[in-house]
Amino acid sequence: MNKSMSSLINVWIQPGPDDIGHSIDEFLSRLKQPTIIQLAGLDASRTRVISTLLHGNEPSGLHAVFNWLKSGKQPAVNTVFFIGAVAAALEHPRFFYRHLPSERDLNRCFKEPFEDYPGLVAKSFLDFLKEEQPECLIDIHNTSGSGPAFAVSICNDLAHQALVSHFVDRLIVTNLRLGSLMELSEQDVPTITVECGGTQDEQAHLLAIESVDRFLLLDDVFQYPATDRELEILYNPVRVELKPDVTIAYNIAPVEGVDITLPLNIEHLNFGVVDTDIQLGWLGERGIDCFQVVSHEGKDISQELLRVEGNQLFPKQPVKAFMITTNPIIAKSDCLFYAVTCQG
Ligand SMILES: [Zn+2]
């Protein structure tokens, strides 16, 4: 490590292929805390930022960084890698915790108040970005369940679409504001989140490795790549959340005494149209009251989105669901899935 930007973030300038260890595990061990890695580009007048591991259990982006550093290639423009939740990733068992149980989720901390540890890390990184004025930022994540890759952005202009097209062919445009890093688009730094696929999917690591490799060699990333793939764009998803005291199970049949049971293979519904006759799971006595689905106007729309027949849960209108999780901890602490109504 070369120096510390503050006591919170290490800065590592131009590490060579031999400095980062032989494996992703050795690389992680050498980081110890949130780290900024700076590389000189062929064009030193511009900078791009790739952010990874804001969630400690989402390793695809770190694989991409490791792979790039091992290659010893020089990027087209100055490049900054930010590796966020290092402590959470290091906590035993490695790459298990999204964030340390005693701390807030780092990717909800990029807005005031910046008082606690992850808040201060987020603030230090935002200060760095303000100084650096990068031309774009790509924040690489994994979904907790398996599913196709996609990107998320708060903007849907051509610049953001072009950035997305270097990584995936599906874009979710959201007006939700949660304090995530992609909200930097509001400060004139085109920023996208790339969800590469499930945390355990080899395919997700490959997507991150290959697309970062291509991306960093391009001179102009705001130009559409030559491909006939069309970008599918979905607007304004809502978060289908569970109320705090709700109990959840994943099983092939309803579990007695539990508020909601979901089938083990529920993630197969990711990004397909879920019609009103497709069963999502089973509900206990509380019925739809388990859910909290807040519209963009701040209204609870659970009853408009979901219906129950006997103990069976169905969508009330056709939806596209994504980021469906089969991890009960994330289902409770974050959300069960995101939904977009098919009427738009
Ligand atoms: Zn994430």
Side-chain angles (χ1 to χ4, degrees):
M1 299 292 138
N2 297 66
K3 58 181 181 180
S4 258
M5 201 175 74
S6 62
S7 55
L8 297 169
I9 301 181
N10 280 332
V11 178
W12 199 356
I13 295 170
Q14 209 71 37
D18 299 331
D19 300 329
I20 59 168
H22 297 291
S23 65
I24 191 107
D25 262 307
E26 281 186 28
F27 181 36
L28 182 67
S29 300
R30 291 180 190 198
L31 297 174
K32 297 194 174 62
Q33 65 172 17
T35 301
I36 281 171
I37 293 176
Q38 292 182 300
L39 302 176
L42 287 169
D43 176 353
S45 69
R46 294 178 284 148
T47 302
R48 291 172 199 152
V49 181
I50 306 265
S51 156
T52 67
L53 212 66
L54 291 191
H55 293 136
N57 62 337
E58 299 176 10
S60 284
L62 192 68
H63 280 276
V65 172
F66 180 76
N67 183 76
W68 178 272
L69 294 175
K70 273 288 173 208
S71 78
K73 290 179 193 166
Q74 186 175 22
V77 308
N78 285 354
T79 296
V80 168
F81 294 127
F82 176 62
I83 304 163
V86 173
L90 280 168
E91 186 75 14
H92 182 76
R94 285 186 169 201
F95 298 112
F96 176 79
Y97 290 99
R98 180 181 171 97
H99 54 91
L100 289 174
S102 56
E103 285 172 6
R104 286 192 299 151
D105 179 335
L106 178 58
N107 206 26
R108 299 289 178 268
C109 294
F110 290 91
K111 64 171 183 192
E112 289 181 327
F114 300 113
E115 281 157 0
D116 53 1
Y117 172 74
L120 293 168
V121 169
K123 175 75 167 65
S124 295
F125 186 46
L126 288 174
D127 290 345
F128 169 86
L129 293 170
K130 207 167 189 180
E131 187 97 337
E132 200 71 31
Q133 288 295 312
E135 64 175 10
C136 64
L137 189 152
I138 311 295
D139 185 22
I140 301 181
H141 289 252
N142 292 101
T143 44
S144 54
S146 280
F150 60 96
V152 191
S153 170
I154 63 165
C155 287
N156 185 29
D157 57 18
L158 289 175
H160 286 79
Q161 290 180 14
L163 290 178
V164 169
S165 64
H166 298 296
F167 293 85
V168 292
D169 47 20
R170 192 178 273 120
L171 169 62
I172 314 277
V173 181
T174 178
N175 55 18
L176 289 175
R177 296 291 183 274
L178 302 168
S180 67
L181 182 55
M182 70 180 169
E183 290 158 34
L184 198 68
S185 289
E186 286 175 337
Q187 287 156 49
D188 298 327
V189 180
T191 300
I192 60 164
T193 297
V194 177
E195 298 280 355
C196 296
T199 53
Q200 313 289 337
D201 297 351
E202 195 58 36
Q203 197 51 43
H205 304 338
L206 269 180
L207 185 145
I209 288 169
E210 289 172 4
S211 48
V212 164
D213 195 76
R214 276 195 312 271
F215 187 78
L216 293 183
L217 293 171
L218 285 172
D219 181 58
D220 181 3
V221 288
F222 295 105
Q223 194 158 359
Y224 257 92
T227 154
D228 355 315
R229 285 181 315 171
E230 233 186 272
L231 201 59
E232 179 188 8
I233 303 177
L234 301 171
Y235 295 92
N236 292 331
V238 289
R239 288 161 57 83
V240 177
E241 299 175 342
L242 298 177
K243 288 185 179 167
D245 54 337
V246 164
T247 51
I248 179 167
Y250 292 87
N251 196 32
I252 50 168
V255 175
E256 191 74 24
V258 165
D259 295 319
I260 171 165
T261 308
L262 294 175
L264 295 161
N265 63 354
I266 178 102
E267 60 198 16
H268 292 173
L269 297 178
N270 266 320
F271 284 110
V273 173
V274 187
D275 227 318
T276 51
D277 58 350
I278 295 180
Q279 190 186 342
L280 296 168
W282 300 270
L283 296 180
E285 282 171 14
R286 284 179 70 166
I288 301 282
D289 186 49
C290 298
F291 296 100
Q292 185 170 293
V293 187
V294 181
S295 74
H296 304 285
E297 292 78 41
K299 198 171 111 206
D300 192 324
I301 54 163
S302 330
Q303 302 282 353
E304 289 158 47
L305 203 69
L306 301 163
R307 72 184 171 93
V308 62
E309 212 176 285
N311 67 347
Q312 301 181 337
L313 174 68
F314 297 93
K316 198 166 188 172
Q317 48 179 312
V319 294
K320 271 196 175 180
F322 60 95
M323 281 185 96
I324 304 172
T325 187
T326 48
N327 178 333
I329 298 168
I330 289 172
K332 295 251 324 175
S333 66
D334 191 41
C335 74
L336 198 55
F337 59 87
Y338 288 75
V340 184
T341 56
C342 294
Q343 285 93 327

